[in-house]
């Protein structure tokens, strides 16, 4: 039964990196309900990050439709696309998430700068950043330190706080735990889940690690939704 | 917050950014300093003499005559005879004439022999006369009137004894003649401030025991004997002339230049100044050009710094993009950084300039007789600073546009 109001919907999307014939991506159908947590599994090089770039609108599909919160990226100008991304999506990468020279607070507040609606949902960005840090188990004084001085595990939590601030409806995480050791990995995920559940946020997380599967509402394999062409056609 | 991020990003690269800013600051200080010296020199030169119609001296270049007679720069290669002077003084066109005799010094200051008419006739800054701030003009043979800077530098008061040296920076002093300070002039901002003025006769008195620049061995005439002597000069260095009517200036000038008894040169101070500007003008343009190039070099250095930082900052820009910044914002951020560097550099340059002025002002004054006023920055200087900042912004567009292209291609993921 199709979801009447998915936060994310991809239909018959095709993409090929310019000048690279060897790799192509074709996604038949992918949808994500509001508040749903989904783990997307796939081998390295299978096109997971490419798919996330399509969802974030930083690359445009060659064919098909990408809808985030009922809005088709193809109908937006590049500038609107950037703003829309900031409004709708909280992003966490595998590593190098933060501006190392900026304070933790400024890093967390950064997306609000480009997303007025998200900014409007936050009364006091400084307070909210502090609260999120506390919720994510970071020490209280971390807020004013330079992000570059934190440990990798702490940096990932700050990235999570940044994705959560202003409660965007969709959080996308590209292998956020692969640079963490097993223990940190677990607590990081717990905290992320707790926060996204609290705000009814959808979570799409990409990984090549199947052990995380049981914590998610749903698990999808790249092979189920996408065809990747690796041969030079 | 963007501004804070830009500052933080700059601070994180403190060393290279600091070097870049320092280069900009030094170039700006140099440029403004050259401007200051240029305008200061021009103003002080133009203000130095007024009310004098002609300056007469032995035949040489008109600029040279102007420089040594009025500005005490350089020396006369020849003198004019006292006979010619008297002859000129008797000309009907001549309203007044003031002789000037140079060639001796007191410490680092030049000694000028003249008549008391000098104090009435010499005018500066469009007609301002000299004024005695303390004491009186010379009355006695061994009286000296000193300029404000002489008094200030050497700490002289009325009655202070002065020993005059023959020649400039010479060590042979005319120890026997006990001059004393009879008057101190008010500050004028002209070379008069750095001059010791005595009577023409006094110059003769100094040289009683001297022949051809050397002291006659064993001879030392006591002061009271000198007082009895006939002290008429053989020659003087130059003379300032005022005419009865301005209409006569040119005919008098021609007459003097064709003076049959002796090769003389008469110049109009204003015309000679113009000539001087023309000579200086080339150097001036070259100087502005060179210091302008230094500013350009510093800005290109900044551009190179930004360029070389782009690769290591690709991630930073990808993060901005991922957080919703348009490529335009990335471009703007880099330009903003450049503008901040240029502003800090320009402000620091201005501070360096004023620091330099504070330290250099008395040194430049005593070394070159150039008093550079310490004033708030002029409109022109502010425009220069604004220009530097604008140029910084324009120059930074090149690497910023490159970053723009890069961040368009990279999106939010940097591939390496
Ligand atoms: N910016 C890019 N430009 C060109 N090719 C790219 C780019 N990003 C990824 N690719 C190519 O796309 C393919 C899939 O990569 P990616 O989406 O990063 O896979 P995954 O994230 O699953 O490891 C690879 O062959 C990779 O070389
Ligand atoms: Mg990937």
């Amino acid at each position: 039964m199709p979801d009447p109001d998915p936060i994310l919907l991809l239909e018959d999307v095709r993409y090929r990196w310019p000048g690279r014939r060897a790799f192509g991506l074709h996604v038949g159908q992918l949808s994500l309900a509001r508040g749903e947590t989904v783990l997307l599994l796939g081998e390295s090089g299978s096109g997971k990050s490419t798919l996330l770039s399509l969802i974030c609108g930083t690359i445009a599909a060659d064919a098909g439709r990408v809808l985030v919160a009922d809005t088709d990226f193809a109908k937006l100008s590049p500038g609107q696309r950037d703003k829309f991304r900031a409004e709708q999506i909280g992003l966490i990468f595998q590593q190098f998430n933060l501006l190392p020279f900026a304070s933790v607070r400024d890093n967390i507040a950064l997306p609000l700068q480009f997303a007025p609606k998200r900014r409007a949902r936050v009364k006091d960005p400084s307070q909210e950043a502090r609260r999120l840090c506390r919720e994510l188990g970071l020490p209280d004084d971390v807020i004013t330190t330079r992000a570059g001085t934190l440990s990798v595990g702490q940096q990932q939590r700050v990235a999570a706080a940044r994705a959560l601030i202003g409660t965007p409806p969709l959080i996308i995480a590209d292998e956020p735990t692969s640079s963490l050791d097993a223990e940190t990995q677990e607590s990081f995920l717990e905290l992320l889940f707790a926060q996204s559940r609290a705000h009814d946020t959808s979570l799409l997380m990409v990984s090549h690690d199947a052990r995380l599967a049981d914590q998610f509402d749903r698990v999808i394999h790249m092979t189920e939704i996408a065809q990747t062409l690796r041969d030079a056609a | 917050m963007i501004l804070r991020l830009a500052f933080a990003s700059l601070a994180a690269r403190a060393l290279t950014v600091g070097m870049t800013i320092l280069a900009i600051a030094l170039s700006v200080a140099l440029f403004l300093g050259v401007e200051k010296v240029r305008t200061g020199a021009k103003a002080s030169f133009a203000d130095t003499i007024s009310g004098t119609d002609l300056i007469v001296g032995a035949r040489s270049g008109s600029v040279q005559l102007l420089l040594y007679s009025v500005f005490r720069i350089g020396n006369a290669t020849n003198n004019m005879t006292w006979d010619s002077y008297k002859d000129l003084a008797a000309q009907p066109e001549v309203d007044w004439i003031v002789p000037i005799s140079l060639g001796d010094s007191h410490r680092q200051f030049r000694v000028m022999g003249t008549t008391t008419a000098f104090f009435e006739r010499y005018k500066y800054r469009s007609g301002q006369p000299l004024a005695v701030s303390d004491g009186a003009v010379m009355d006695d043979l061994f009286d000296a009137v000193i300029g404000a800077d002489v008094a200030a530098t050497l700490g002289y008061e009325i009655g202070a004894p002065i020993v005059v040296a023959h020649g400039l920076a010479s060590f042979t002093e005319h120890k026997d003649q006990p001059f004393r300070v009879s008057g101190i002039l008010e500050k004028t901002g002209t070379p008069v401030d750095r001059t010791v003025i005595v009577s023409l006769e006094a110059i003769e008195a100094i040289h009683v025991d001297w022949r051809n620049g050397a002291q006659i061995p064993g001879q030392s005439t006591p002061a009271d004997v000198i007082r009895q002597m006939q002290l008429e000069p053989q020659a003087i260095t130059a003379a300032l002339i005022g005419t009865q009517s301005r209409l006569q200036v040119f005919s008098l000038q021609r007459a003097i230049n064709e003076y049959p008894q002796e090769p003389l040169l008469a110049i109009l101070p204003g015309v000679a100044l113009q000539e001087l500007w023309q000579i200086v003008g080339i150097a001036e343009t070259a100087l502005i050009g060179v210091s302008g190039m230094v500013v350009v070099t510093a800005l290109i250095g900044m551009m190179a710094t930004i360029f070389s930082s782009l690769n290591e900052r690709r991630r930073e820009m990808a993060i901005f993009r991922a957080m919703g910044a348009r490529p335009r914002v990335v471009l703007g951020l880099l330009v903003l950084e450049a503008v901040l560097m240029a502003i800090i550099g320009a402000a620091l340059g201005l501070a360096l300039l004023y620091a330099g002025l504070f330290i250099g002002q008395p040194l430049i004054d005593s070394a070159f007789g150039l008093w550079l006023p310490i004033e708030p920055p002029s409109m022109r200087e502010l425009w220069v600073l604004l220009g530097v900042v604008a140029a910084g912004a324009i120059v930074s567009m090149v690497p910023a546009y490159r970053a723009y292209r890069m961040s368009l291609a990279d999106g939010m993921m940097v591939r390496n």
Side-chain angles (χ1 to χ4, degrees):
Chain A
M1 180 190 88
D3 182 345
D5 181 27
I7 182 68
L8 173 68
L9 180 66
L10 276 79
E11 276 176 348
D12 207 21
V13 170
R14 284 171 198 278
Y15 185 77
R16 204 183 273 279
W17 285 104
R20 287 181 60 102
R21 316 231 66 204
F23 174 84
L25 185 68
H26 176 206
V27 182
Q29 156 100 33
L30 171 65
S31 83
L32 211 68
R34 294 195 183 254
E36 192 182 17
T37 59
V38 171
L39 178 66
L40 183 62
L41 285 173
E43 286 160 32
S44 187
S46 61
K48 303 185 296 292
S49 295
T50 304
L51 180 59
L52 295 189
S53 284
L54 283 163
I55 293 171
C56 290
T58 49
I59 53 178
D62 299 334
R65 299 202 303 156
V66 179
L67 275 78
V68 172
D70 295 324
T71 305
D72 190 344
F73 269 123
K75 298 211 169 79
L76 300 177
S77 72
Q80 288 172 320
R81 228 174 278 164
D82 288 322
K83 190 170 157 197
F84 187 76
R85 168 170 65 255
E87 294 284 11
Q88 303 293 335
I89 303 174
L91 269 164
I92 311 170
F93 297 114
Q94 180 173 357
Q95 53 183 352
F96 310 119
N97 268 292
L98 308 179
L99 302 173
F101 51 79
S103 69
V104 166
R105 181 182 43 216
D106 283 348
N107 265 293
I108 294 176
L110 185 58
L112 302 182
Q113 197 71 33
F114 308 105
K117 284 188 208 129
R118 214 169 137 185
R119 169 71 184 82
R121 284 198 286 270
V122 179
K123 251 205 235 98
D124 177 353
S126 233
Q127 277 303 319
E128 180 63 2
R130 200 184 300 272
R131 187 189 71 80
L132 283 165
C133 281
R134 211 168 21 234
E135 300 277 326
L136 289 164
L138 287 163
D140 239 4
D141 56 350
V142 84
I143 203 89
T144 52
T145 49
R146 292 198 314 132
T149 62
L150 302 180
S151 72
V152 181
Q154 287 177 319
Q155 289 197 25
Q156 290 305 90
R157 287 180 207 196
V158 173
R162 184 185 61 187
L164 289 162
I165 197 167
T167 58
L170 178 59
I171 286 181
I172 284 183
D174 191 355
E175 311 202 37
T177 57
S178 63
S179 58
L180 306 179
D181 57 60
E183 218 165 299
T184 333
Q185 223 174 50
E186 198 145 320
S187 72
F188 175 81
L189 280 181
E190 265 166 35
L191 293 165
L192 188 58
F193 275 117
Q195 287 303 310
S196 60
R197 292 232 161 88
H199 296 103
D200 200 28
T201 308
S202 311
L203 174 64
L204 176 61
M205 185 166 134
V206 153
S207 181
H208 58 259
D209 187 353
R211 284 172 305 174
L212 308 169
D214 52 353
Q215 307 190 43
F216 289 80
D217 296 342
R218 190 151 59 105
V219 178
I220 307 174
H221 276 271
M222 276 302 275
T223 48
E224 295 164 14
I225 56 155
Q227 296 169 303
T228 50
L229 329 165
R230 284 160 187 285
D231 49 299
Chain B
M1 181 165 107
I2 293 289
L3 193 65
R4 188 160 70 236
L5 289 179
F7 266 118
S9 169
L10 288 177
R13 287 168 285 131
L15 192 65
T16 46
V17 167
M19 292 299 196
T20 308
I21 287 175
L22 192 65
I24 295 174
L26 286 175
S27 73
V28 165
L30 179 72
F31 189 84
L32 292 181
V34 165
E35 278 290 290
K36 264 263 184 292
V37 170
R38 197 176 65 86
T39 50
K42 227 166 171 162
S44 97
F45 266 51
D47 276 350
T48 296
I49 188 158
S50 85
T52 296
D53 293 324
L54 288 173
I55 300 170
V56 186
R59 189 164 298 163
S60 58
S62 55
V63 170
Q64 193 191 354
L65 174 56
L66 178 79
L67 286 178
Y68 69 67
S69 64
V70 177
F71 296 104
R72 324 259 188 276
I73 295 172
N75 290 302
T77 40
N78 274 305
N79 288 335
M80 64 186 279
T81 63
W82 186 242
D83 289 339
S84 304
Y85 170 80
K86 282 192 293 190
D87 200 8
L88 281 179
Q91 297 295 314
E93 296 98 327
V94 173
D95 179 26
W96 55 265
I97 181 162
V98 175
I100 286 174
S101 185
L102 296 159
D104 292 285
S105 65
H106 172 70
R107 309 283 278 273
Q108 69 267 45
F109 300 105
R110 297 214 181 183
V111 172
M112 180 177 83
T114 184
T115 62
T116 48
F118 180 80
F119 299 100
E120 291 152 39
R121 298 304 183 185
Y122 179 85
K123 301 276 164 60
Y124 66 100
R125 209 168 294 155
S126 41
Q128 187 134 344
L130 296 174
V132 179
S133 71
D134 202 4
V137 301
M138 59 267 188
D139 187 24
D140 183 72
L141 177 60
F142 293 116
D143 276 356
V145 173
I146 58 177
D149 290 352
V150 181
T153 310
L154 303 179
Y156 286 168
E157 284 168 15
I158 301 298
I162 277 189
V163 175
V164 175
H166 183 55
L168 300 165
S170 134
F171 291 103
T172 55
E173 294 192 337
H174 302 254
K175 283 216 180 59
D176 319 319
Q177 283 76 33
F179 283 87
R180 54 162 217 109
V181 175
S182 75
I184 298 170
L185 295 174
E186 266 171 16
K187 179 110 185 156
T188 62
T190 72
V192 172
D193 293 346
R194 279 164 290 106
T195 307
V196 174
I197 302 170
V198 298
S199 66
L200 271 187
E201 291 77 22
I203 297 283
E204 291 310 304
I206 296 166
H207 298 100
V208 164
D209 295 325
W210 292 63
R211 286 288 173 275
N212 304 324
Q215 196 159 14
I216 302 166
Q219 185 174 327
S220 174
T221 315
D224 47 336
V225 177
I226 290 176
R227 282 181 194 282
Q228 309 305 318
M229 294 169 77
Q230 182 73 30
L231 295 166
E232 189 164 79
Q234 296 292 305
I236 56 171
T237 311
L240 310 179
I241 291 176
T243 50
Q244 296 281 358
S245 144
R246 297 227 97 203
L247 298 172
Q248 298 161 337
V249 171
F250 290 103
S251 60
L252 182 61
Q253 183 188 26
R254 194 164 338 107
I256 294 171
N257 286 341
E258 288 161 5
Y259 190 66
Q261 277 80 9
E262 188 182 3
L264 291 181
L265 173 70
I267 58 165
L268 286 85
V271 174
L273 260 178
Q274 281 306 320
E275 226 172 288
L276 182 62
W277 290 158
Q278 271 165 27
I279 300 167
V280 175
I282 303 165
E284 225 176 39
T285 317
L287 212 57
I288 294 174
V290 169
S291 52
M293 283 311 286
V294 174
V295 176
V296 170
T297 310
L299 290 177
I300 289 177
M302 176 174 78
M303 180 168 91
T305 316
I306 298 176
F307 254 124
S308 67
S309 77
L310 282 190
N311 255 333
E312 58 185 275
R313 299 180 63 195
R314 252 178 130 135
R315 276 216 179 85
E316 180 184 327
M317 295 183 286
I319 291 168
F320 270 102
R321 293 280 286 123
M323 290 307 114
R326 302 181 196 189
R328 270 222 302 270
V329 173
V330 171
L331 183 132
L333 207 62
L334 285 176
V335 175
L336 177 67
E337 274 182 20
V339 166
L340 285 177
M341 283 196 265
I343 287 175
I344 298 171
L348 196 63
L350 198 63
L352 277 176
L353 174 74
Y354 279 104
L357 274 179
F358 264 108
I359 299 166
Q361 193 181 45
L363 301 175
I364 294 170
D365 185 35
S366 62
F368 306 108
L370 186 61
W371 183 257
L372 299 176
I374 298 179
E375 310 163 318
S378 65
M379 263 333 262
R380 189 185 154 87
E381 286 168 325
L382 291 179
W383 277 114
V384 168
L385 294 180
L386 201 68
V388 169
V389 174
I394 291 167
V395 155
S396 72
M397 290 297 238
V398 183
Y401 182 69
R402 164 89 170 268
Y404 174 89
R405 298 303 309 253
M406 263 161 57
S407 86
L408 261 186
D410 282 350
M412 51 185 206
M413 260 163 272
V414 178
R415 303 208 324 131
N416 26 12

